[in-house]
Amino acid sequence: MSGRLANDLNKVLIVGGGIAGMAAAIRLREAGVEQIEMIDVDPQWRVYGTGITLSTLTMRALCDLGFRDEILAHGFAHNRVSMRTSAGKILNVVESPSVFADGTPSEGGILRPVLHKMMSERVLGYDIKVRLGLTVEKAEQDEDGVSVTFTDGSTGRYDFVIGADGLFSKMRELVFPDTPKPTFTGQACWRVLFDRPDDFDHCHMYMGKMVKAGFNPCAPDKMYMFVLEHVPGNPRRSQDELVSILQELTADFEGEAGELIRSVKSGSQIVYRPLESILIDGDWYCGRILLIGDAVHATTPHLGSGAGMAVEDAIVLVDELKKTSVLEVALQNFMDRRLPRGKAVVGNSLRIGDLEMAGAPMSEIGPLFGQSLQMIAQPY
Ligand SMILES: Cc1cc2nc3c(=O)[nH]c(=O)nc-3n(C[C@H](O)[C@H](O)[C@H](O)COP(=O)(O)OP(=O)(O)OC[C@H]3O[C@@H](n4cnc5c(N)ncnc54)[C@H](O)[C@@H]3O)c2cc1C
């Protein structure tokens, strides 16, 4: 347990049991908050089964939250990216120095269900009350607290409510009804899981004619491939046509990467997702209700940092709540730290995506990418 809160937030409701919500629950419990309830709309509390990249930002945030050993055991940590032609010829190898005093590699990957299991076991182990298959119907606040009515008809009164219900946040609609909706960025992300050959012990990026494809280790025996595609008009695609479209996009890939992609058959698990983003450029709180995570700063995967940003929100929130007994002051200090970071991560990710869609050469994308990597390596 790492220090207690200065304010009298004894009863907290967290709406959304994703990465942001679970991180907040863990951090608040560690700061001594006794009554924490978390709800999730999904009755099975599921996540879809592919890998995510642990950028330096995401790795640091998860390690700071206490998951270092689990990541090293069940995920994959490395500190290298090799850039290759679509035939596999090495163009460049970029080594990133560790940001950790003990030299733990500061990049890597993890399977999303593994991360979910690690975090949800910690939440349940901390005796946090989790209710599934419901959401918030109504939230009315006064000076002393928030009265919530849930969709199952139950009600509750809380000192503080955290909305961590993701990109299509209902809490955002309730608290900030005039905020614009998430917007489609123009790109879609493909992800496919593979068994990990021994030589894929770091991230391999292949520069194809139509797309770039990255292979990132995300478990001792698994890696996932990610491809970003420019899809103007955001066409609807059925699961049945995904294999043939992926094969067309990567037709010029040869060698090991080409063989792996050609082993993808109908029935293989392919996760295809058009990218949408949002950044609330103003306060993320109203009175005693605060929104965190994708609900207020959903980014694209270009910097592999969305999950880490969600965890950082939780860490910074509790950090600021410990410093002052005045909630408004804590939340304003939280905003002073989080809004510039959110703008930088979402802004640079979108700019990199825009350059990719415009067909900009690596000489133009590279410097922005390099500067962005330096920015996310800075502590929050
Ligand atoms: C294609 C893609 C690839 C990505 N790759 C990476 C990556 O490599 N590395 C990285 O760091 N980040 C990555 N991200 C970003 C990362 O997934 C998100 O930033 C992160 O999951 C945000 O966490 P969150 O808890 O805010 O939202 P979510 O993870 O979306 O969790 C929201 C939770 O709220 C629940 N919920 C939804 N609506 C309600 C409601 N009305 N009431 C109650 N509960 C509700 C949901 O069931 C869910 O459990 C990627 C995102 C995308 C789209």
Side-chain angles (χ1 to χ4, degrees):
M1 302 283 160
S2 51
R4 302 181 80 82
L5 295 196
N7 4 47
D8 56 354
L9 300 184
N10 298 315
K11 194 169 175 194
V12 177
L13 171 69
I14 298 171
V15 182
I19 295 167
M22 289 192 285
I26 291 167
R27 222 36 179 198
L28 285 167
R29 174 65 98 223
E30 289 172 348
V33 178
E34 278 166 16
Q35 296 182 66
I36 304 174
E37 289 177 22
M38 193 164 77
I39 61 162
D40 199 286
V41 76
D42 182 352
Q44 269 92 45
W45 203 10
R46 289 159 307 185
V47 285
Y48 45 93
T50 185
I52 64 168
T53 293
L54 302 174
S55 67
T56 308
L57 184 155
T58 300
M59 181 73 103
R60 186 206 301 267
L62 285 168
C63 288
D64 287 353
L65 196 62
F67 289 103
R68 177 190 173 280
D69 293 348
E70 285 101 321
I71 289 172
L72 294 182
H74 307 297
F76 200 101
H78 64 77
N79 57 0
R80 203 162 10 129
V81 180
S82 56
M83 315 292 277
R84 293 157 186 270
T85 64
S86 55
K89 185 170 164 270
I90 293 187
L91 296 167
N92 192 12
V93 178
V94 183
E95 303 264 354
S96 37
S98 173
V99 296
F100 300 111
D102 67 0
T104 300
S106 39
E107 290 173 26
I110 194 160
L111 287 164
R112 206 175 267 267
V114 171
L115 179 60
H116 182 78
K117 183 166 181 283
M118 278 160 33
M119 294 185 78
S120 57
E121 280 178 358
R122 183 78 55 91
V123 165
L124 296 172
Y126 277 178
D127 258 343
I128 285 155
K129 184 172 163 191
V130 178
R131 290 198 294 153
L132 301 174
L134 75 167
T135 185
V136 170
E137 179 79 54
K138 210 164 63 175
E140 288 171 327
Q141 53 177 321
D142 52 47
E143 257 184 35
D144 302 323
V146 189
S147 296
V148 177
T149 306
F150 298 97
T151 45
D152 66 352
S154 60
T155 58
R157 173 94 177 154
Y158 304 90
D159 300 321
F160 188 47
V161 174
I162 298 176
D165 50 346
L167 179 63
F168 303 107
S169 171
K170 184 168 179 202
M171 289 301 291
R172 189 177 60 228
E173 277 174 25
L174 286 178
V175 181
F176 301 113
D178 299 329
T179 301
K181 303 257 178 293
T183 47
F184 170 57
T185 69
Q187 287 182 303
C189 181
W190 296 75
R191 284 167 295 172
V192 186
L193 198 60
F194 292 100
D195 290 336
R196 185 179 69 80
D198 286 345
D199 53 331
F200 281 75
D201 59 356
H202 61 278
C203 184
H204 295 222
M205 286 294 309
Y206 293 85
M207 307 292 148
K209 283 200 191 94
M210 295 175 72
V211 288
K212 289 181 269 190
F215 290 80
N216 198 21
C218 56
D221 60 342
K222 297 281 176 204
M223 64 180 184
Y224 82 106
M225 178 184 74
F226 54 90
V227 170
L228 289 173
E229 181 196 359
H230 185 194
V231 282
N234 195 7
R236 276 194 163 272
R237 287 170 169 173
S238 71
Q239 201 66 28
D240 293 344
E241 56 186 344
L242 292 183
V243 176
S244 58
I245 298 173
L246 180 65
Q247 306 289 6
E248 271 172 44
L249 288 171
T250 53
D252 59 320
F253 284 59
E254 295 169 23
E256 218 171 352
E259 277 169 34
L260 282 163
I261 295 171
R262 277 181 277 290
S263 74
V264 178
K265 299 275 178 286
S266 111
S268 300
Q269 197 205 24
I270 304 177
V271 178
Y272 172 82
R273 178 146 168 201
L275 299 179
E276 292 184 73
S277 93
I278 190 167
L279 175 82
I280 307 273
D281 189 0
D283 286 344
W284 299 343
Y285 68 93
C286 175
R288 291 174 171 268
I289 306 177
L290 169 73
L291 306 187
I292 62 171
D294 272 14
V296 277
H297 53 68
T299 185
T300 60
H302 292 86
L303 297 175
S305 293
M309 287 292 289
V311 175
E312 283 188 359
D313 284 348
I315 295 176
V316 173
L317 171 65
V318 175
D319 194 27
E320 292 301 335
L321 287 172
K322 282 179 185 168
K323 291 182 190 162
T324 169
S325 59
V326 185
L327 180 62
E328 166 79 25
V329 173
L331 294 180
Q332 202 50 63
N333 291 341
F334 168 86
M335 287 311 311
D336 289 347
R337 289 171 68 183
R338 297 310 293 157
L339 187 54
R341 181 87 154 168
K343 279 184 176 176
V345 171
V346 177
N348 282 20
S349 299
L350 292 178
R351 271 193 289 283
I352 293 170
D354 286 345
L355 286 174
E356 285 175 347
M357 287 186 279
M362 268 320 275
S363 58
E364 209 177 320
I365 300 177
L368 176 59
F369 193 63
Q371 179 224 318
S372 304
L373 292 183
Q374 281 180 17
M375 178 263 293
I376 62 169
Q378 295 305 311
Y380 42 92

